[in-house]
Amino acid sequence: MSNPTRHLAVLSLIALLPFGAGLLTLDPDHSMVLGLASLTFMILPLAMLVLWPELRTGLLPRGRLAVLTGVVMGFALFLALVRAPHMIFSLTVLHFWLGAMIAGRAMQLAIRAQGPRLAEYALVMLLIAGPLYVTLLPLMQVVYGGAEPLDWLNGMPGFNNVRKMSHLLTLSAISGLGLVAFAPADRLTRREMAIMGLSVLALALVLWSGARGAWIASCAGMLIVGVVALRAGIRFRLVRVLAVVPPAVLLALVLPVPGRSLGLVEELRTSATRGTDVSAISNGRLDMWSNAVELIGQSPISGLGWGQYIFLQDRHPSTHLHNFPLDLLLSFGVPMGLLAIGVLLALWVAAHRRAIHAGGTAMAALCVLDMMAVYSLVSGTYFYGVPVVLTGLVWGICMAPQINRTA
């Protein structure tokens, strides 16, 4: 086993890049459409490619799924260059997924060469990333909140929109809860207490950010992994996980609420006023999905490229569909879209089969992976650079165990 210093340094970027991007765009007037954090987060897979020798010698995996993945990505590139109404936007979304594939393969190979401690370090950095980033928000208020009220919906440093920020916060919280759920020691060591403390803070920030989809996806993701662990005979520390929730809720209630779209009480009040109106509860998603089905019917075979929804219609200002399977069908057409969904499902099953043979850290990563899978059905988690690349990274952690001959 070689010195893992360079590996640890690269993985530290998980926490440092969102914070750094936010610091560079602390001035609300410097916000970007996609957000600087999404673009600069591609530094992580590039650093892996340059600095990790395992990846340079084993970048391309073998097997049928690897070939099918290459077919899907090649088709996506073809559509971006030939058919997409906005080529640059399509290539931007595509390159995030290329970064996710590099990050996932890098983690897979590095864990095999360096050991599972790299996976644990990556998840700890992810846990730290959310709370570290949020330290920028009071700083922004102090520096730029004097003359005029800040736009807390579209002025988040590095992320622009508050919901893009909540993707990072949710990833951070579930990483912590996964580490708590699959802690190796029966007694509470200083390490376990530190992880639980950070998890309380990260979960409180998710509740405070007001993203209902994140709450639902977090519960569903943890439940799925809990069932998997039970069936596999792996200990799931439910009591410790539940112990994190009450202090997180209390902290979320006392955190200051500087503007709309933030605050646990405000979100609960807004949800209550919508009553039983399904369209209002979904924030217009049902109409958006119906619109997407119409658009898919207009071009069912070939599609028009990734990230083109906003350019194909004028009913909704959203850049994505808040539903990843529909997004793939619209982007690639029905035949290639179904192939892409099938490949992702096969990789999802493979991740579960391998993670249960790899110990607690891989199971903690599986919590993140399953949460993101559920979240992608109601949000744009698989559209922006930070959540896309981080999902690829935890996928690689889950896929690291070698239980068959394919790489």
Side-chain angles (χ1 to χ4, degrees):
M1 184 180 298
S2 60
N3 188 341
T5 302
R6 66 172 63 184
H7 295 79
L8 299 179
V10 170
L11 292 174
S12 297
L13 294 175
I14 295 171
L16 296 177
L17 285 173
F19 177 82
L23 192 61
L24 290 173
T25 53
L26 196 63
D27 184 346
D29 293 333
H30 291 165
S31 62
M32 304 168 64
V33 173
L34 282 175
L36 185 63
S38 286
L39 300 176
T40 57
F41 211 73
M42 285 297 293
I43 293 174
L44 177 63
L46 289 176
M48 291 173 167
L49 193 59
V50 172
L51 297 175
W52 290 9
E54 303 91 351
L55 183 59
R56 294 199 301 271
T57 58
L59 177 61
L60 298 178
R62 301 186 299 274
R64 184 181 304 171
L65 283 177
V67 173
L68 293 176
T69 301
V71 170
V72 172
M73 295 296 286
F75 187 72
L77 178 60
F78 169 79
L79 290 178
L81 297 176
V82 176
R83 296 210 63 193
H86 197 296
M87 180 182 68
I88 299 300
F89 211 68
S90 186
L91 289 175
T92 299
V93 179
L94 176 60
H95 102 286
F96 291 153
W97 274 91
L98 181 61
M101 293 166 61
I102 294 172
R105 181 63 171 169
M107 284 305 301
Q108 182 186 46
L109 296 176
I111 291 169
R112 292 177 182 177
Q114 303 289 334
R117 293 301 296 271
L118 283 185
E120 180 183 359
Y121 186 79
L123 292 177
V124 170
M125 286 297 102
L126 182 51
L127 170 58
I128 293 172
L132 177 63
Y133 168 82
V134 170
T135 60
L136 294 172
L137 302 187
L139 178 62
M140 182 176 70
Q141 175 65 40
V142 169
V143 177
Y144 296 103
E148 298 180 2
L150 295 175
D151 181 2
W152 291 95
L153 177 64
N154 297 303
M156 288 297 167
F159 289 95
N160 187 11
N161 190 273
V162 66
R163 294 294 166 250
K164 300 176 192 176
M165 176 198 69
S166 72
H167 293 160
L168 175 67
L169 300 185
T170 309
L171 281 159
S172 180
I174 300 306
S175 177
L177 289 179
L179 290 169
V180 170
F182 295 100
D186 287 333
R187 65 185 182 89
L188 281 174
T189 64
R190 283 185 296 179
R191 171 196 176 277
E192 308 306 332
M193 289 188 287
I195 294 292
M196 290 184 71
L198 279 171
S199 298
V200 167
L201 177 56
L203 183 57
L205 292 173
V206 173
L207 297 172
W208 169 81
S209 70
R212 288 171 300 152
W215 309 349
I216 297 169
S218 299
C219 293
M222 294 298 293
L223 179 61
I224 292 170
V225 179
V227 172
V228 170
L230 179 64
R231 292 178 61 86
I234 300 171
R235 186 166 186 180
F236 183 93
R237 301 183 186 278
L238 179 60
V239 173
R240 291 191 189 180
V241 173
L242 294 179
V244 169
V245 177
V249 172
L250 290 175
L251 181 57
L253 290 172
V254 300
L255 285 173
V257 182
R260 64 192 181 98
S261 300
L262 292 170
L264 176 57
V265 173
E266 179 62 27
E267 182 56 36
L268 293 174
R269 184 185 297 116
T270 301
S271 298
T273 59
R274 289 167 179 164
T276 58
D277 186 341
V278 178
S279 179
I281 293 173
S282 71
N283 285 338
R285 283 171 172 78
L286 294 181
D287 183 62
M288 190 183 303
W289 296 341
S290 176
N291 180 218
V293 172
E294 295 175 9
L295 293 172
I296 292 170
Q298 295 174 14
S299 182
I301 303 301
S302 64
L304 291 169
W306 238 336
Q308 302 302 290
Y309 177 66
I310 195 171
F311 306 109
L312 301 178
Q313 49 76 46
D314 55 10
R315 283 165 53 178
H316 301 282
S318 177
T319 54
H320 55 81
L321 283 171
H322 294 81
N323 183 286
F324 189 51
L326 271 181
D327 226 336
L328 290 175
L329 293 173
L330 176 62
S331 300
F332 300 154
V334 175
M336 192 61 69
L338 289 175
L339 176 60
I341 293 170
V343 169
L344 287 169
L345 284 175
L347 290 170
W348 185 79
V349 171
H352 284 71
R353 290 180 58 206
R354 295 191 182 200
I356 61 176
H357 296 283
T361 303
M363 293 298 292
L366 198 62
C367 293
V368 180
L369 185 65
D370 283 353
M371 179 277 297
M372 290 296 283
V374 176
Y375 205 3
S376 73
L377 300 179
V378 295
S379 187
T381 50
Y382 287 172
F383 192 84
Y384 301 104
V386 173
V388 169
V389 174
L390 285 172
T391 298
L393 185 142
V394 297
W395 218 312
I397 295 174
C398 297
M399 294 288 284
Q402 293 176 294
I403 62 173
N404 53 40
R405 293 183 179 180
T406 57

